[in-house]
Amino acid sequence: MPQHTDQYIGGAWRPALTADSLPVLDPATEQVLATVPAGGPADVDAAVRAARAAARGWGATTPAQRLAPLTRLRDGLAAAQEEIASTVVAELGCPIGFATAVQAGLPLAVADSYLGILAGYEFQERTGNSTVFAEPVGVVAAITPWNYPLHQIVAKVVPALAAGCTVVLKPAEDTPLVARLFARLVHGAGFPAGVFNLVTGLGPVAGAALAGHPDVDLVSFTGSTAVGRTVAETAGRGIKRVALELGGKSANVVLPGADLARAVNVNVGNVFANSGQTCSAWTRLLVHQDQYEEAVAIAAKAAAKYVPGDPADPATRIGPVVSAAQRERVRGHIRGALAEGARLVAGGPEAPEGLDTGFYVRPTVLADVTPGMAAAQEEIFGPVLSILGYRDEEHALEIANGTRYGLAGGVWAADEDTAVAFARRMDTGQVDINGGRFNPLAPFGGWKGSGLGRELGRHGLEEFLQPKSLQF
Ligand code: NAD
């Protein structure tokens, strides 16, 4: 079992300054895969200093000079696709098919997109008697979660580097191995020392030290709303910029006249992908009351095709959740929903048959969920779909907008114009119309309690830029 004792700081792997270590578990077997350093404030301080020392030089490079190592990083991600997928299978328990297509494929697509955006971006513009320069913000603290561990790293680090910022990354404690792999690829791409730094460690220790470090200029955080609030408070005290990608409770609204079977089947796949650990998952399916029982029956049939199993087996569609704590949280939510009066259509709070070892949860569908229930309001972050009925469009809109979140959503209708008109009234950051595909060029981020700022595309680059106007 590998016992890593180093952090990537100032262009080299250096012995950790804190002796503590963290175990990395395989969620399918509960066995320890490796250990990594549990970095403390001293490690964070060394990393921030390295990033600060590199900031002026990297910030003064031309886009073309930044494109060269970023292109090599993109090529490194392409060459490492298999290793990335197998690492995410091991430490997240994500099924190999999804890990290959999404956990490895999406970061590559995002890195690719930024090569094009950087090449075409105007870093200065003339307005009146001013030239406005888009300058890098400086030293970026990137704090990421475990559910799409490499995607969330790439969605922050690549645009930050493209903008001319330097970065200290603190990845989630459950998935540090793919972060170490990424650091290896950054190293191989030949960035100047200190432009990218990695400190593994616990959130309340290393993450808090990083978010509060006086020499960090911007904190880009993806994770839970509760921790996001703490990070924003800390950043506020230091007058640091902050970007927050938080939780969601997204609604998928099927309007009368839509292809009900397709909408429900896509929704079930959407919510069970990655064991339901997707911030933008459509965890609330809203169907007209006249079609309610039909939708429930379609969902039950679709759910039966998701049998939890070994994530390394290519036939497996759903693996475990990430940790024992997450498994207990999700099962607790299912029990709570049943106690509140929800009807169990598929799954349930018990361990799936024959899977007493591993952090498995039964893929669960709940019917008769009403808008006030926890199952309609709280982010469960597991494979649990809540089905709600509505009377008419206005009622559907009221339910869709009736949570503290606003991250994503779906609308299905007989025609695009009807769906777009409805989607325009939803209080949320992105909506897929009749199953529209994910677009890595589109801004991704939340309204309301789902966050501040945007990732991906041009908007994602601009998070890491600040204007400076010269009058002449
Ligand atoms: P989390 O908030 O517990 O942890 C996220 C990161 O923050 C981890 O790296 C963790 O170590 C760190 N952290 C924890 N406490 C900290 C503190 N006090 N100070 C600084 N850093 C700290 O979230 P999680 O359980 O890892 O991830 C799941 C959550 O992330 C879900 O709520 C999900 O919706 C959300 N998420 C949102 C998006 C999005 O783009 N909106 C994407 C993925 C996940």
Side-chain angles (χ1 to χ4, degrees), residues 123-205:
F123 282 86
Q124 63 183 78
E125 62 170 3
R126 191 77 190 156
T127 176
N129 67 320
S130 304
T131 296
V132 182
F133 293 87
E135 303 280 8
V137 167
V139 174
V140 170
I143 302 178
T144 55
W146 41 263
N147 56 334
Y148 289 84
L150 184 61
H151 166 65
Q152 283 137 355
I153 289 171
V154 166
K156 296 185 188 313
V157 175
V158 168
L161 299 181
C165 294
T166 61
V167 178
V168 177
L169 167 67
K170 206 304 280 174
E173 36 276 69
D174 291 306
T175 52
L177 300 179
V178 78
R180 289 179 61 90
L181 197 170
F182 178 75
R184 219 181 69 210
L185 298 177
V186 172
H187 186 77
F191 287 88
V195 165
F196 170 80
N197 308 274
L198 168 73
V199 176
T200 54
L202 290 170
V205 181

Side-chain angles (χ1 to χ4, degrees), residues 291-316:
Q291 297 184 301
Y292 193 80
E293 287 308 326
E294 195 187 343
V296 167
I298 298 167
K301 201 165 157 210
K305 296 188 193 133
Y306 288 79
V307 180
D310 177 5
D313 180 343
T316 298

